[in-house]
C-alpha cells in the first residue's frame, strides 16, 4: 500500500475509502462477491433494504460477541462462587490476613453449592448484561459522532433507491487508482472518494459544552460537602423531599403551639378557625326535624319560652334539684307518630332489639325494667355510699309508657340528647337505629312487663324478669 494513496494532496483531509454506486441489488451483490474474491476484507455495503446473500458476499463473519459474553459469564461464576466461598467459609488457613466470616448456622456446611446459586446467578446476569452492552459498543467502534460518508450527497440515496459498496483505504489491497478501475469493471455507475476532514473528528461544540458543564457540575456536591465540613449552621437542613418527616402539629380546639421566635398560626393564637356561626358541614344539614330530632317540622312554640331549653338537659351527675328546677317541657313539639322515612316492621324491630341490647340493656335491663347490670352494680355501690346513682328508669313506668306524656318523638329525643341523668347517645347511634330502638321500646312496653314484685293478676302477658323478649 503506497503512502500517497492514503494521504491526500488536500492539506487537512484524509482518504477514508472509495464509494461505488450501483443501481440494483443484484449488481451490488455481484460486485461484493468480486471484491471479496479480489482479496478485499475492509469493506461495507449499503442498501435501502436487506439484500439476501449480501453478508456472505462481503465476507461478514458471525459476531464474536456471544463468546465475549460467555467468557465474562464464566468469569462471573468464578467471581460469584469465589466471593461467597471466601466470605463464608473457613478460609483463614488459606489467607490468615483475611479470614472471612465463618458462621456456623444450623449445622450447615460453611460452603454449600445450592445455597450459593442465587447470588452466583445474579452476578452472571449482571456482568453478562454489561458485557453485551459495552461489548456491542466496542465491536461497533461506537460512539461515532460523525461518519464521513454522510458528507457525500450521493450517499443519501442509500436509504432510498441506490446501492453502495465502500472499500476502505486501510485495506491492504487498497490502491487509489487500481481499486477505482476494479470498481468500474464490476459495473459501478459512479465512484466517489470518501474523505474525512481531520479537523472534523472532534465532538460537536454544543456537545463538548454540555459534557464540560456536566463535568463541572459534578464537582459541585463535593465542594459543598467540603465547605460544610466543620461548619456550624443554625438553619434547618435542606429537606428536598419532606414526605411527612416534619410537619406542624396542631391539636384541634387548642391554642397554637408556642414556637420559639415564631408567630402562632392564627393571630388570635388558635390552632384552627372556629366554624362560621350557623354553618353546617356538607351532607349534615339534617333538615328533616322529625327524622333527626323527633320534633315536628316547622314547629313554633305557642308560648315564648323564657328559660333556655338547652338547660333542661343536664350532664350526667347534675343534681336532680337543678334539673327539676328548669321550666316545664313543651310536649307538643314532639311527633307522636314515626317519621315518614321509618316503616315499623319486623325487620326494624329486630334491628331495634339488637341495638337496644347493645346500648340500653346495660342500664335498663333486657326487658326494660331498669335492672341492667350497671344499674345493679351502681345501686350496690350506692348502698355503701361508694357512689351516687339515679336508678335507670323502668321503661314500663306509667309516665314513660304514656303515649301522651312520652310520645315517640320524645323517646327519640331522650336517646339523642339524653335526659336528666341519662347521657346522650347521638354520637354512638345513627338516627335510623335510634328510631329502631324507639320502636323496640314501644314493643317492650306493649308486652306489659312489670317491674319485679309489681305484677298484678290482670296482666295479659308476663315475661320473666331478665329474659330477652322478642318483638
Ligand atoms: C348508663 C346507663 C343508661 C343507659 C346505657 C341508658 N339509659 Fe336510659 N336512663 C338511664 C337513667 C339513669 C335514666 C333516668 C334519668 C333521670 O330521670 O334522671 C334513664 C331514663 C330513660 C328513659 C326515660 C326518660 C324520661 O324520663 O322520659 C328512657 C325512655 C330511656 N332512658 C331510654 C333509654 C334507651 C332507649 C337507651 C338505649 C339507647 C338508654 N336509655 C340507655 C340510664 C341509662
Amino acid at each position: 500500500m503506497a503512502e500517497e494513496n492514503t494521504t491526500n494532496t488536500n492539506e487537512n483531509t484524509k482518504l477514508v475509502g472509495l464509494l461505488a454506486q450501483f443501481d440494483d441489488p443484484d449488481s451490488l451483490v455481484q460486485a461484493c462477491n468480486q471484491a471479496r474474491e479480489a482479496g478485499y476484507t475492509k469493506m461495507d455495503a449499503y442498501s435501502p433494504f436487506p439484500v439476501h446473500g449480501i453478508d456472505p458476499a462481503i465476507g461478514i463473519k458471525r459476531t464474536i460477541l456471544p463468546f465475549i459474553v460467555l467468557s465474562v459469564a464464566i468469569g462471573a461464576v468464578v467471581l460469584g462462587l469465589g466471593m461467597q466461598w471466601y466470605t463464608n467459609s473457613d478460609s483463614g488457613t488459606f489467607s490468615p490476613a483475611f479470614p472471612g466470616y465463618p458462621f456456623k448456622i444450623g449445622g450447615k456446611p460453611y460452603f454449600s453449592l445450592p445455597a450459593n446459586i442465587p447470588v452466583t446467578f445474579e452476578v452472571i446476569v449482571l456482568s453478562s448484561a454489561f458485557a453485551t452492552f459495552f461489548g456491542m459498543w466496542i465491536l461497533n467502534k461506537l460512539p461515532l459522532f460523525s461518519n464521513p460518508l454522510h458528507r457525500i450527497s450521493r450517499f443519501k440515496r442509500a436509504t432510498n433507491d441506490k446501492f453502495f459498496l465502500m472499500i476502505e483505504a486501510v485495506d491492504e489491497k487498497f490502491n487509489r487508482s487500481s481499486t477505482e478501475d476494479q470498481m468500474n469493471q464490476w459495473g459501478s455507475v459512479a465512484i466517489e472518494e470518501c474523505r474525512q476532514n481531520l479537523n472534523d473528528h472532534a465532538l460537536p461544540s454544543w456537545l463538548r459544552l454540555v459534557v464540560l458543564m456536566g463535568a463541572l457540575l459534578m464537582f459541585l456536591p463535593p465542594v459543598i460537602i467540603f465547605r460544610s465540613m466543620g461548619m456550624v449552621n443554625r438553619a434547618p437542613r435542606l429537606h428536598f423531599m419532606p414526605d411527612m418527616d416534619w410537619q406542624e402539629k396542631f391539636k384541634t380546639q387548642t391554642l397554637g403551639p408556642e414556637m420559639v421566635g415564631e408567630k402562632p398560626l392564627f393571630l388570635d393564637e388558635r390552632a384552627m378557625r372556629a366554624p362560621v356561626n350557623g354553618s353546617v358541614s356538607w351532607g349534615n344539614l339534617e333538615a328533616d326535624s322529625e327524622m333527626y330530632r323527633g320534633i315536628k317540622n316547622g314547629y313554633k312554640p305557642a308560648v315564648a319560652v323564657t328559660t333556655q331549653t338547652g338547660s333542661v338537659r343536664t350532664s350526667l351527675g347534675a343534681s336532680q334539684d337543678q334539673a327539676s328546677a328548669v321550666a316545664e317541657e313543651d310536649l307538643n313539639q314532639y311527633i307522636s307518630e314515626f317519621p315518614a322515612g321509618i316503616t315499623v316492621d319486623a325487620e326494624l324491630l329486630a334491628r331495634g332489639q339488637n341495638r337496644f341490647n347493645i346500648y340500653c340493656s346495660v342500664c335498663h335491663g333486657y326487658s326494660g325494667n331498669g335492672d341492667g347490670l350497671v344499674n345493679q352494680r351502681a345501686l350496690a355501690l350506692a348502698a355503701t355510699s361508694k357512689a351516687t346513682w339515679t336508678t335507670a328508669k323502668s321503661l314500663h313506668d306509667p309516665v314513660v309508657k304514656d303515649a301522651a306524656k312520652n310520645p315517640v318523638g320524645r323517646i327519640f329525643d331522650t336517646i339523642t340528647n339524653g335526659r336528666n341523668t341519662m347521657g346522650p347517645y347521638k354520637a354512638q347511634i345513627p338516627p335510623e337505629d335510634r328510631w329502631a330502638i324507639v320502636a323496640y321500646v314501644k314493643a317492650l312496653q306493649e308486652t306489659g312487663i312489670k317491674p319485679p314484685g309489681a305484677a298484678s293478676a290482670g296482666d295479659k302477658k308476663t315475661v320473666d324478669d331478665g329474659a330477652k323478649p322478642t318483638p
Side-chain angles (χ1 to χ4, degrees):
M1 179 172 61
E3 192 59 12
E4 64 269 20
N5 286 333
T6 48
T7 46
N8 189 270
T9 41
N10 292 3
E11 276 283 306
N12 283 324
T13 58
K14 192 182 101 182
L15 184 65
V16 180
L18 279 180
L19 183 71
Q21 181 187 322
F22 300 89
D23 277 343
D24 57 287
D26 289 343
S27 41
L28 176 68
V29 175
Q30 220 174 358
C32 290
N33 275 319
Q34 279 164 318
R36 195 190 69 250
E37 277 155 21
Y40 292 104
T41 52
K42 303 221 160 58
M43 57 180 167
D44 209 350
Y46 304 89
S47 91
F49 48 81
V51 176
H52 285 288
I54 198 97
D55 287 8
I58 51 173
I60 288 186
K61 292 188 219 85
R62 274 194 66 126
T63 171
I64 59 161
L65 190 59
F67 297 101
I68 295 177
V69 176
L70 180 68
S71 51
V72 168
I74 291 170
V77 173
V78 176
L79 183 80
L81 283 180
M83 182 184 73
Q84 294 174 90
W85 171 80
Y86 173 70
T87 50
N88 296 331
S89 71
D90 193 8
S91 51
T93 45
F94 169 70
S95 157
F98 303 101
Y101 301 90
F103 284 120
K104 198 80 181 157
I105 297 166
K108 292 179 194 123
Y110 288 129
F111 182 83
S112 152
L113 190 61
N116 294 310
I117 290 294
V119 170
T120 312
F121 172 77
E122 297 294 340
V123 177
I124 293 174
V125 169
L126 181 75
S127 46
S128 307
F130 278 128
T132 314
F133 184 73
F134 291 111
M136 187 273 291
W137 280 64
I138 292 166
L139 290 181
N140 285 317
K141 300 193 182 75
L142 293 174
L144 183 67
F145 294 105
S146 82
N147 189 327
L149 274 176
H150 291 300
R151 302 230 178 267
I152 302 171
S153 59
R154 179 189 297 280
F155 184 68
K156 292 197 172 76
R157 293 180 75 174
T159 60
N160 189 4
D161 60 349
K162 294 293 180 229
F163 305 83
F164 294 91
L165 172 65
M166 163 89 168
I167 295 182
E168 289 175 33
V170 288
D171 195 299
E172 280 176 22
K173 288 266 167 181
F174 185 84
N175 179 293
R176 175 67 185 80
S177 49
S178 66
T179 303
E180 187 174 349
D181 290 345
Q182 281 174 309
M183 284 177 160
N184 278 323
Q185 283 167 26
W186 301 333
S188 165
V189 290
I191 296 171
E192 289 222 25
E193 271 184 354
C194 179
R195 300 199 149 270
Q196 186 183 17
N197 190 333
L198 289 179
N199 300 330
D200 209 26
H201 62 276
L203 293 177
S205 56
W206 64 267
L207 194 61
R208 241 184 308 172
L209 199 69
V210 170
V211 171
L212 191 73
M213 297 288 284
L216 284 179
L217 283 178
M218 266 165 49
F219 282 104
L220 209 57
V223 167
I224 293 174
I225 293 168
F226 185 76
R227 230 204 76 188
S228 328
M229 276 165 66
M231 233 170 69
V232 180
N233 191 351
R234 295 259 163 253
R237 287 164 186 237
L238 290 181
H239 208 129
F240 294 107
M241 263 182 260
D243 298 328
M244 289 169 94
D245 299 345
W246 183 86
Q247 56 179 338
E248 288 175 286
K249 182 188 176 184
F250 303 105
K251 289 198 168 146
T252 50
Q253 312 292 4
T254 57
L255 291 183
E258 292 170 24
M259 289 177 285
V260 183
E262 282 184 46
K263 285 183 184 158
L265 192 62
F266 293 111
L267 274 183
D268 60 1
E269 297 191 349
R270 288 188 208 210
M272 66 184 283
R273 299 283 70 204
V276 176
N277 270 346
S279 59
V280 175
S281 64
W282 190 256
N284 287 317
L285 183 56
E286 300 186 347
D288 186 351
S289 178
E290 303 190 352
M291 178 69 192
Y292 293 102
R293 281 174 284 281
I295 292 174
K296 290 171 190 158
N297 281 331
Y299 179 79
K300 298 253 162 33
V303 197
V305 188
T306 43
T307 47
Q308 233 190 323
T309 43
S311 65
V312 174
R313 287 142 201 158
T314 57
S315 59
L316 210 75
S319 82
Q320 283 286 75
D321 297 347
Q322 274 178 341
S324 51
V326 176
E328 57 188 88
E329 209 184 346
D330 178 7
L331 285 178
N332 274 333
Q333 61 181 326
Y334 299 113
I335 50 174
S336 47
E337 298 291 327
F338 282 84
I342 303 292
T343 2
V344 183
D345 52 12
E347 200 187 324
L348 189 79
L349 285 173
R351 175 76 181 164
Q353 180 184 36
N354 174 279
R355 298 292 102 177
F356 181 92
N357 289 347
I358 290 171
Y359 290 107
C360 319
S361 67
V362 282
C363 291
H364 288 282
Y366 285 114
S367 51
N369 281 330
D371 55 356
L373 284 177
V374 169
N375 193 66
Q376 291 176 23
R377 172 81 178 140
L379 285 179
L381 288 176
T384 56
S385 310
K386 284 188 184 143
T388 44
W389 178 253
T390 310
T391 315
K393 242 186 202 157
S394 167
L395 300 180
H396 307 286
D397 177 289
V399 181
V400 177
K401 211 174 153 179
D402 188 340
K405 289 183 182 149
N406 196 18
V408 285
R410 189 171 178 277
I411 302 178
F412 183 86
D413 181 68
T414 302
I415 304 172
T416 307
N417 299 307
R419 192 166 305 282
N420 302 338
T421 50
M422 179 183 145
Y425 284 81
K426 186 182 187 172
Q428 293 93 323
I429 312 174
E432 291 77 13
D433 283 349
R434 276 179 250 151
W435 279 116
I437 293 174
V438 172
Y440 182 66
V441 167
K442 287 262 93 176
L444 270 183
Q445 292 171 343
E446 287 298 310
T447 58
I449 305 159
K450 293 285 175 202
S456 66
D459 281 338
K460 287 175 277 176
K461 292 181 226 163
T462 309
V463 178
D464 278 350
D465 182 38
K468 293 184 190 180
T470 41

